[in-house]
Amino acid sequence: MAHIAPVYDTLIIDIGDVLFTWSAETKTAISPRTLRKILNTATWFEYEKGQRSEVDCYSTIGRELDLSPDDIAAALRGARDSLMARTEMVTLLRELKPGRRVYAMSNISEPDAIVLRNKLLDWDVFDRVFTSAAAGARKPNIDFYQYVLEQTGADPRRTIFVDDRLDNLVTARSFGMRGVAYDHFANVERTLRNLCGDPVERGEAFLHAHAKNHLSYTSTHQTINENFTQLLLLEATGDPSLVDYTEYEGPFNFFREAEQSAEFPCDVDTTSVGLTVSERIAPSIKDGVMDEILRLRSSDRIVPVYFDRRRSRLDPVVCTNALTLFYANERGHELAETLDWVHRVLQYRAYIEGTRYYESPEAFLFFISRLLDVAPELRSRLGPLLAARVRERLGARGDALALAMRLIVCAKLNIEASVDVRTLLDLQEVDGAWSGWFYKFGSSGVLSGNRGLTTALAVKAIEGQRRLRNAIARPTADSMEIARPQRRDGVIEKRASRRPCAGLGTSATKKPSASCDKETGIAFSRADQPTG
């Protein structure tokens, strides 16, 4: 499987202010500002390159800055005494080391290097330590980097370079290295884990580590036990062991708690997804619910949000999910007016600032693509427009969920989106998950998200773009159709009716028949209906 990002096999780590912290506060007449000035003189740089002795360095700087060499020596002894190892950084390097070479590279004099050796007991984490004193060169000068690369044989394009100084990072990047700026450990840890780990494996590990505990949360720091995202998570993964939801013999309620379910009526959104995803609901029950949805329509004949005429609400995403239910059960023709409205929303970009219940414009595009999964008869009508609209979003700002939904749509339409993939990869968190806001409560505007669903869709997005890159790199007669990877064990084997996929599903064992839109050349495979 092709990798979205390079595989890094070498780490080069700065020492001062990365592996160690220190204080410029002294008990001498030399102020912290003056001490830092000393450390940036040409004389000090020569000392770090081994071109001056310690005594000569102190005496020369004393003359240049009108300072006592004894005070300089005392201030620097204080700085050495203040050195503290960042043990968390050492622990991280040790964790990332298997399969990689790890080097230290520092501007440091030989006397200071000797002091450092006694400040850290874990030098064995490094395959080699490179000092400016030994190399006769210092960062950011190019010759120091050339020396390290020649000595290690490292491929700079597969090397990560960590430093706290921008000028040092610029030189490293000029060689093709991936420069990582050290600002806070949490940021560096996240970046290094993202660069060194496989995003799909880490995401799947998170999903299984929190199986049946993927609860939603709000922007007001409340936890929500609800059915909606659980159903979409099941659809995205095909793995019922990950989710926990309530199955109904009729309309579904958004909430699982009895108190909230009693307060809020069942809604068409959760019901449409539930009846599309759930396995054990009889066709007669589905037909009964769809009949009820038809009766709920007002004079405009547009599908409402709630199974309650007293709550008159309208949302194009909810309408799209209702269309998916109806088309999956061969009754799409009964919602012609709703389809016309959804088409206009897509055509005129009415979704561009989100909708009443959905935070991002990508949510609408994602659910349109889900509709097209089960309604091939709509692909000539909506497919070219969807492709144009998602292309408009490429490179737009968005959180991890918005990016994942955008990328899933792109993969279905054979649109490569490498910039957005890189952004999504960078947003993966230390525990392997991704976060993003999904829907919002219409009356209050409170946002809600679910890390489990966001992670599942991010994994699908990355897998889809990987397959697309494979198809582009190795074109075949079927390269316009993105083959779907074989599901892992524990998935649902088949479904009774046409179902949408909340990502990209399984490969067919035989060549699929496909309909191709003549205007865009986009192939839609009937085999791309999920089998789990």
Side-chain angles (χ1 to χ4, degrees), residues 244-260:
D244 192 9
Y245 67 95
T246 302
E247 194 169 87
Y248 298 81
E249 295 295 322
F252 278 59
N253 198 285
F254 177 83
F255 294 103
R256 297 195 65 208
E257 285 92 348
E259 303 80 18
Q260 291 174 310

Side-chain angles (χ1 to χ4, degrees), residues 93-218:
L93 293 176
R94 196 172 295 283
E95 186 176 336
L96 299 177
K97 185 174 173 63
R100 295 182 179 86
R101 295 171 297 171
V102 181
Y103 303 105
M105 178 181 175
S106 181
N107 291 336
I108 191 169
S109 66
E110 181 57 30
D112 287 327
I114 293 172
V115 172
L116 276 185
R117 291 188 194 115
N118 297 321
K119 290 278 186 176
L120 181 68
L121 300 178
D122 298 277
W123 289 106
D124 62 318
V125 73
F126 295 105
D127 293 277
R128 186 171 170 184
V129 176
F130 293 93
T131 67
S132 57
R138 68 186 303 279
K139 298 178 287 185
N141 293 344
I142 289 174
D143 47 358
F144 194 7
Y145 296 79
Q146 289 176 326
Y147 173 78
V148 172
L149 291 173
E150 289 169 1
Q151 291 291 309
T152 61
D155 180 349
R157 294 166 300 179
R158 299 178 63 166
T159 299
I160 299 171
F161 180 89
V162 182
D163 203 292
D164 64 302
R165 295 182 64 91
L166 179 59
D167 49 352
N168 296 343
L169 291 166
V170 169
T171 303
R173 290 167 180 157
S174 74
F175 280 88
M177 300 185 211
R178 176 64 183 257
V180 175
Y182 193 104
D183 48 7
H184 302 287
F185 173 74
N187 295 336
V188 174
E189 179 186 20
R190 176 174 178 166
T191 301
L192 289 181
R193 289 190 186 279
N194 289 350
L195 292 174
C196 294
D198 180 86
V200 170
E201 291 178 0
R202 294 176 62 219
E204 290 179 340
F206 170 83
L207 290 173
H208 287 90
H210 298 271
K212 295 191 181 297
N213 195 35
H214 293 292
L215 299 179
S216 296
Y217 50 88
T218 71

Side-chain angles (χ1 to χ4, degrees), residues 399-443:
D399 62 22
L401 182 59
L403 287 166
M405 288 180 163
R406 184 189 306 166
L407 289 168
I408 287 171
V409 178
C410 286
K412 290 181 182 181
L413 300 176
N414 298 331
I415 299 171
E416 189 175 17
S418 57
V419 172
D420 286 337
V421 171
R422 287 194 293 270
T423 303
L424 181 62
L425 292 173
D426 288 343
L427 291 175
Q428 191 168 22
E429 297 168 16
V430 169
D431 61 0
W434 282 267
S435 300
W437 298 117
F438 186 21
Y439 55 83
K440 55 189 174 184
F441 295 95
S443 59

Side-chain angles (χ1 to χ4, degrees), residues 194-500:
N194 289 350
L195 292 174
C196 294
D198 180 86
V200 170
E201 291 178 0
R202 294 176 62 219
E204 290 179 340
F206 170 83
L207 290 173
H208 287 90
H210 298 271
K212 295 191 181 297
N213 195 35
H214 293 292
L215 299 179
S216 296
Y217 50 88
T218 71
S219 53
T220 56
H221 311 292
Q222 294 177 310
T223 299
I224 304 176
N225 192 0
E226 43 96 343
N227 291 304
F228 187 61
T229 53
Q230 298 296 304
L231 291 161
L232 289 171
L233 177 56
L234 173 60
E235 184 176 74
T237 63
D239 189 348
S241 72
L242 297 178
V243 300
D244 192 9
Y245 67 95
T246 302
E247 194 169 87
Y248 298 81
E249 295 295 322
F252 278 59
N253 198 285
F254 177 83
F255 294 103
R256 297 195 65 208
E257 285 92 348
E259 303 80 18
Q260 291 174 310
S261 296
E263 181 181 354
F264 291 91
C266 294
D267 64 278
V268 173
D269 212 16
T270 308
T271 298
S272 297
V273 173
L275 294 181
T276 308
V277 174
S278 297
E279 293 293 311
R280 297 181 295 275
I281 299 176
S284 60
I285 293 176
K286 294 181 181 181
D287 282 330
V289 173
M290 285 187 281
D291 290 341
E292 187 174 353
I293 291 174
L294 292 175
R295 290 192 295 270
L296 286 168
R297 295 177 298 172
S298 60
S299 59
D300 59 13
R301 299 181 65 80
I302 305 298
V303 170
V305 172
Y306 289 107
F307 285 85
D308 186 344
R309 293 186 183 278
R310 296 169 300 178
R311 291 176 176 262
S312 179
R313 306 286 190 274
L314 193 63
D315 190 294
V317 176
V318 179
C319 289
T320 302
N321 289 336
L323 285 164
T324 299
L325 170 63
F326 275 70
Y327 274 95
N329 290 278
E330 310 292 346
R331 295 182 59 176
H333 61 280
E334 299 179 61
L335 292 180
E337 295 85 0
T338 297
L339 176 61
D340 288 342
W341 186 59
V342 165
H343 187 174
R344 292 197 302 272
V345 170
L346 181 62
Q347 180 178 1
Y348 296 112
R349 303 176 183 84
Y351 58 86
I352 199 65
E353 294 180 354
T355 66
R356 177 180 176 87
Y357 293 104
Y358 287 88
E359 174 66 6
S360 74
E362 278 75 15
F364 178 71
L365 301 179
F366 170 78
F367 284 110
I368 289 289
S369 76
R370 184 175 176 269
L371 169 61
L372 297 186
D373 288 338
V374 303
E377 58 268 47
L378 298 181
R379 290 168 183 168
S380 61
R381 177 177 179 178
L382 299 179
L385 191 53
L386 176 61
R389 294 295 174 261
V390 77
R391 285 185 187 277
E392 293 171 353
R393 298 295 300 165
L394 293 179
R397 294 180 63 181
D399 62 22
L401 182 59
L403 287 166
M405 288 180 163
R406 184 189 306 166
L407 289 168
I408 287 171
V409 178
C410 286
K412 290 181 182 181
L413 300 176
N414 298 331
I415 299 171
E416 189 175 17
S418 57
V419 172
D420 286 337
V421 171
R422 287 194 293 270
T423 303
L424 181 62
L425 292 173
D426 288 343
L427 291 175
Q428 191 168 22
E429 297 168 16
V430 169
D431 61 0
W434 282 267
S435 300
W437 298 117
F438 186 21
Y439 55 83
K440 55 189 174 184
F441 295 95
S443 59
S444 65
V446 172
L447 300 176
S448 181
N450 186 289
R451 298 180 81 221
L453 177 62
T454 303
T455 300
L457 294 183
V459 166
K460 287 295 179 186
I462 293 166
E463 288 180 328
Q465 288 292 317
R466 282 178 171 176
R467 283 192 297 275
L468 184 55
R469 289 189 63 178
N470 278 339
I472 293 172
R474 295 190 296 275
T476 66
D478 296 325
S479 63
M480 287 302 291
E481 296 184 33
I482 304 303
R484 308 169 74 157
Q486 295 294 330
R487 296 272 193 179
R488 292 184 172 84
D489 293 338
V491 305
I492 305 165
E493 290 300 324
K494 63 180 181 179
R495 296 177 176 176
S497 59
R498 293 184 294 169
R499 301 282 178 94

